[in-house]
Amino acid sequence: MKTSSEYLKEANAVVKRIDVESGIKRHKSGNAVFIDVRDSAEIASTGTIEGSLQIPRGFIEFAADDSTPFHNKALSKDQEIILVCGAGGMAALTGKTMIEMGYKNVKNVGGIGDWIKAEGPIEK
């Protein structure tokens, strides 16, 4: 039986973690899709990365699968996707799922608090 820390260790081994400063540079370039995987209540309380998609962790398999009616057409398997959550754990787990689904360029920028502290672009 696996523990949550084992799942997280596996996810962190396959999903590249980038620092917030690199994430902000990627955001400014406009060439990456940002996804906030927190639930709507958390997003409402802190705001989110400007222009990001809000796809909760529990829904990503449907939004990322182009064979479902729930597929988010903003997602493409070849584009750069950068994930954010509360502290980095859910982003890592989501990234591992997306990589297993065939997404090739998925990164974890960590937690929204670090993004806000670094003065990354936010929308409420």
Side-chain angles (χ1 to χ4, degrees), residues 20-30 115:
V20 175
E21 291 76 19
S22 297
I24 292 170
K25 286 180 188 172
R26 297 302 303 139
H27 188 271
K28 285 181 183 175
S29 79
W115 183 272

Side-chain angles (χ1 to χ4, degrees), residues 14-45:
V14 297
V15 180
K16 182 178 179 177
R17 180 78 178 245
I18 62 171
D19 60 47
V20 175
E21 291 76 19
S22 297
I24 292 170
K25 286 180 188 172
R26 297 302 303 139
H27 188 271
K28 285 181 183 175
S29 79
N31 294 323
V33 171
F34 283 76
I35 304 173
D36 191 328
V37 301
R38 297 174 300 147
D39 67 39
S40 59
E42 288 179 271
I43 291 171
S45 72

Side-chain angles (χ1 to χ4, degrees), residues 18 23 26-27 29-36 49-55 60 72-84 98 103 105-109:
I18 62 171
R26 297 302 303 139
H27 188 271
S29 79
N31 294 323
V33 171
F34 283 76
I35 304 173
D36 191 328
I49 294 174
E50 185 178 283
S52 68
L53 302 174
Q54 288 91 55
I55 305 173
I60 198 68
N72 188 313
K73 293 180 182 6
L75 300 179
S76 166
K77 292 188 175 170
D78 293 323
Q79 70 191 127
E80 182 178 27
I81 296 174
I82 301 177
L83 305 167
V84 67
M98 292 184 80
Y103 286 80
N105 191 4
V106 181
K107 297 179 177 85
N108 176 1
V109 75

Side-chain angles (χ1 to χ4, degrees), residues 49-69:
I49 294 174
E50 185 178 283
S52 68
L53 302 174
Q54 288 91 55
I55 305 173
R57 165 73 188 106
F59 194 73
I60 198 68
E61 289 84 351
F62 301 102
D65 184 350
D66 61 8
S67 72
T68 73

